[in-house]
């Protein structure tokens, strides 16, 4: 009889994968999840220290979220969201408005992160068209950005791995040379710099600010670029310059929202608010595909007029406002409401980061260990003194990933950056275990260098 993974490979084209790699590493068919653990069909246990692609927030099969979805399931599974609504979606907005940065109060639902990026780009463009800024037709984004995989989202992204082949199809986006704190061209350090690198943004705004609708930004953490972290001051400066040039800030908090950076939203660190914020991933605790573009009354009002004016936002997704997803999202906010989850996560974040720093102190190939909230990343380089990276053809990160899987830890890397982005409920025993496995696997793979 065929195994589950053989049956899988007969039909399934997995995301973001060279399928030929599966000859050597067949798909791991997961049967069951509990907390931070996953169990495959052969009974092997894996620690999900990447939160199943950064979305699982409060553990797999969290009893309270499970209960909320089950209850909703017997009442209503889905209903059209144009002209109709549902209680769970309404409750969700009422809850979210209390934790969002001030001013964000109008909610436009989609069903995945990329779609919310696209809808907010359209929203910003249409806003400017309708308030008379008809010359504003372009978007800005940072170098090394990642905002998703659909065509407009890819256009504002800047990771060659995902965009290169599609370049002929992509929009012409204005690129800001963004912060690069590990290899800072100004020789500064992210903990105490004045964001000298912001002069690059100033130059770009001076040239293109007038024709720009919005700048799209992953606040504080450029995840896909290798968990690159930059200081909140950058966002403050961005807010100022955007006000000056009447450019919207479109905050992609898809990965950073829901406590991942230590505060509820990454923008909270900067004490300023964006004009549109995209939420997904942690939004449903990693249970259901849902996203929201949240915006201001001012943007909303630019669309509010008699039907005949043609000013409506004619954007929709079939599953907008899905009650099951909203039920999960409500349960997540209920669980986080008293602040204890985040408080604990922040205490553990210090422990985790110290653990890694001690374990890898003076390591021959560790260029930088950086952290924000519970997210930690180890950038492996050929030479820490010069920060020279390894040749990507050796795929050391991938080798480390494969070894760690054998030891029951999911360490899916970004190139040669090994990262940890665990559910907020991770405990110290698990952290110890994961750090030891990472250490063994990194040493074992790099012993051959
Ligand atoms: C995951 C992610 C997206 C895309 O979300 P999808 O649901 O995968 O389309 C966009 N931006 C950031 C920062 C992300 O991490």
């Amino acid at each position: 009889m065929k195994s589950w993974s053989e049956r899988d490979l007969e039909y399934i084209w997995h995301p973001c994968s060279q399928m030929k790699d599966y000859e050597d590493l067949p798909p791991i068919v997961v049967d069951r999840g509990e907390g931070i653990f996953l169990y495959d069909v052969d009974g092997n246990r894996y620690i999900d220290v990447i939160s199943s692609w950064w979305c699982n927030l409060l553990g797999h099969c969290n009893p309270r979220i499970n209960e909320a979805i089950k209850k909703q399931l017997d009442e209503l599974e889905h209903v059209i969201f144009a002209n109709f609504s549902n209680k769970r979606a309404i409750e969700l907005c009422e809850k979210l408005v209390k934790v969002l940065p001030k001013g964000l109060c109008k909610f436009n639902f989609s069903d995945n992160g990329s779609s919310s990026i696209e809808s907010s780009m359209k929203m910003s463009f249409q806003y400017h068209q309708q308030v008379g800024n008809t010359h504003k037709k372009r978007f800005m984004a940072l170098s090394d950005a990642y905002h998703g995989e659909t065509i407009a989202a890819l256009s504002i992204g800047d990771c060659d791995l995902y965009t290169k082949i599609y370049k002929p199809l992509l929009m012409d986006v204005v690129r800001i040379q963004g912060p690069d704190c590990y290899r800072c061209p100004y020789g500064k350090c992210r903990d105490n710099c004045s964001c000298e690198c912001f002069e690059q943004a100033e130059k770009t705004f001076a040239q293109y600010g007038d024709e720009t609708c919005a700048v799209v930004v992953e606040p504080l953490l450029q995840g896909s670029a290798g968990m690159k972290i930059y200081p909140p001051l950058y966002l403050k400066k961005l807010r100022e310059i955007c006000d000056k040039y009447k450019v919207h800030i479109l905050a992609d908090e898809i990965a950073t929202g829901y406590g991942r950076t230590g505060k509820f939203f990454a923008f909270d660190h900067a004490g300023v608010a964006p004009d549109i914020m995209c939420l997904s991933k942690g939004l449903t605790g990693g249970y259901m595909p849902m996203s929201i573009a949240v915006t201001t009354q001012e943007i909303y009002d630019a669309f509010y007029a008699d039907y005949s004016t043609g000013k409506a936002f004619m954007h929709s997704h079939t599953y907008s406002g899905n009650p099951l997803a909203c039920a999960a999202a409500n349960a997540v906010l209920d669980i986080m409401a008293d602040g204890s989850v985040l408080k604990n996560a922040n205490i553990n974040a210090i422990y985790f980061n110290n653990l890694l720093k001690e374990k890898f102190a003076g390591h021959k190939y560790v260029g930088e260990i950086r952290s924000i909230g519970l997210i930690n990343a180890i950038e492996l380089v050929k030479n820490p003194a010069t920060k020279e990276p390894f040749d990507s053809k050796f795929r050391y990160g991938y080798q480390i990933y494969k070894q760690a899987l054998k030891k029951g830890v999911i360490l899916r890397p970004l190139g040669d950056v090994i990262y940890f982005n665990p559910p907020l409920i991770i405990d110290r025993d698990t952290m110890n275990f994961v750090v030891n496995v990472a250490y063994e696997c990194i040493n074992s793979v790099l012993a051959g260098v």
Side-chain angles (χ1 to χ4, degrees):
M1 210 176 75
K2 281 186 185 165
S3 68
W4 280 104
S5 57
E6 282 163 343
R7 286 164 67 184
D8 170 289
L9 287 175
E10 203 164 328
Y11 295 108
I12 297 177
W13 193 345
H14 287 275
C16 206
S17 300
Q18 171 48 264
M19 290 309 298
K20 193 165 190 296
D21 280 347
Y22 288 64
E23 287 177 11
D24 176 45
L25 179 65
I28 295 160
V29 182
V30 171
D31 211 18
R32 182 167 79 76
E34 189 182 345
I36 198 170
F37 303 115
L38 294 169
Y39 299 87
D40 72 12
V41 286
D42 301 317
N44 299 308
R45 189 189 83 170
Y46 301 89
I47 298 177
D48 187 4
V49 80
I50 56 155
S51 295
S52 281
W53 255 347
W54 320 352
C55 63
N56 187 288
L57 193 71
L58 302 167
H60 293 279
C61 284
N62 181 293
R64 284 177 73 181
I65 306 175
N66 284 14
E67 198 48 47
I69 295 170
K70 284 180 195 165
K71 187 163 174 286
Q72 183 56 39
L73 189 56
D74 284 330
E75 289 174 19
L76 176 68
E77 80 302 330
H78 187 63
V79 63
I80 178 174
F81 212 45
N83 280 120
F84 288 78
S85 190
N86 67 79
K87 290 191 214 162
R88 299 298 91 81
I90 297 164
E91 286 167 354
L92 178 59
C93 300
E94 289 170 348
K95 286 175 187 165
L96 268 173
V97 86
K98 292 187 187 136
V99 292
L100 282 161
K102 217 165 158 260
L104 295 174
C105 60
K106 294 289 177 186
F107 297 74
N108 185 262
F109 287 74
S110 305
D111 49 22
N112 66 77
S114 308
S115 292
S116 68
I117 294 287
E118 303 248 345
S119 71
S120 46
M121 289 170 73
K122 286 170 69 179
M123 204 184 270
S124 174
F125 174 82
Q126 190 173 339
Y127 166 91
H128 286 298
Q129 291 301 306
Q130 291 177 178
V131 300
N133 302 334
T134 47
H135 53 289
K136 286 188 177 288
K137 290 178 180 162
R138 300 187 73 181
F139 291 89
M140 282 187 196
L142 298 185
S143 49
D144 280 350
Y146 178 86
H147 299 289
E149 303 289 348
T150 52
I151 296 293
L154 268 185
S155 301
I156 50 174
D158 186 38
C159 297
D160 263 2
L161 183 61
Y162 312 119
T163 55
K164 202 169 170 200
I165 182 93
Y166 307 109
K167 288 257 159 85
L169 303 179
L170 302 183
M171 295 159 53
D172 184 20
V173 162
V174 179
R175 191 67 56 195
I176 299 172
Q177 190 57 44
D180 186 2
C181 299
Y182 173 46
R183 296 183 173 85
C184 179
Y186 299 83
K188 304 287 175 184
C189 164
R190 72 165 79 73
D191 295 331
N192 55 19
C193 73
S194 311
C195 289
E196 283 77 1
C197 61
F198 197 78
E199 70 173 29
Q200 297 295 332
E202 282 164 356
K203 271 189 218 155
T204 312
F205 270 85
Q207 197 172 355
Y208 300 105
D210 286 335
E211 58 193 88
T212 297
C213 306
V215 53
V216 191
V217 60
E218 292 163 273
L220 305 189
L221 175 78
Q222 293 187 297
S224 298
M227 298 295 172
K228 288 175 65 185
I229 297 166
Y230 63 89
L233 179 62
Y234 196 92
L235 298 177
K236 258 195 169 132
K237 292 191 174 194
L238 193 64
R239 181 71 273 174
E240 278 169 26
I241 204 163
C242 282
D243 288 344
K244 185 171 151 199
Y245 286 91
K246 292 192 168 63
V247 169
H248 290 141
I249 297 185
L250 206 162
D252 179 350
E253 292 251 12
I254 293 166
T256 51
Y258 280 78
R260 293 290 188 189
T261 67
K263 291 192 189 274
F264 210 98
F265 298 105
F267 254 86
D268 296 341
H269 292 271
V272 293
D275 302 280
I276 309 178
M277 186 186 276
C278 293
L279 306 175
S280 192
K281 295 204 163 102
L283 172 65
T284 63
Y287 267 65
M288 304 275 215
M290 182 163 79
S291 61
I292 311 182
V294 197
T295 191
T296 58
Q297 186 74 43
E298 191 199 339
I299 290 182
Y300 177 85
D301 284 346
F303 295 72
Y304 198 89
D306 286 332
Y307 183 79
S308 58
T309 60
K311 286 186 172 178
F313 189 44
M314 298 304 285
H315 180 101
S316 65
H317 294 284
T318 309
Y319 288 104
S320 297
N322 176 262
L324 291 168
C326 291
N330 280 317
V332 168
L333 289 176
D334 291 345
I335 293 167
M336 295 184 75
D338 73 0
S340 59
V341 170
L342 193 50
K343 195 172 151 208
N344 255 323
N346 284 337
I347 294 167
N348 279 334
I350 297 168
Y351 179 83
F352 200 14
N353 186 240
N354 285 336
L355 204 61
L356 281 163
K357 280 189 174 147
E358 278 164 28
K359 192 83 187 176
F360 287 92
H363 194 284
K364 202 173 155 193
Y365 298 115
V366 171
E368 184 180 51
I369 297 175
R370 47 185 176 260
S371 74
I372 186 163
L374 267 172
I375 298 172
N376 280 273
I378 305 173
E379 180 154 349
L380 299 169
V381 293
K382 190 171 171 188
N383 183 346
T386 60
K387 305 180 181 177
E388 184 194 348
F390 286 114
D391 188 332
S392 61
K393 74 168 188 252
F394 295 118
R395 301 183 78 190
Y396 289 129
Y398 183 64
Q399 310 301 334
I400 292 162
Y401 167 59
K402 288 203 292 185
Q403 285 214 6
L405 280 177
K406 290 199 188 115
K407 294 175 191 282
V409 178
I410 309 177
L411 277 186
R412 199 182 161 87
L414 295 156
D416 291 328
V417 175
I418 306 296
Y419 71 87
F420 311 85
N421 186 2
L424 300 182
I425 49 120
I426 189 171
D427 62 50
R428 293 189 178 190
D429 284 347
T430 311
M431 290 181 214
N432 289 325
F433 185 83
V434 158
V435 170
N436 285 332
V437 167
Y439 187 73
E440 286 165 21
C441 297
I442 287 172
N443 285 344
S444 146
V445 168
L446 297 185
V449 173

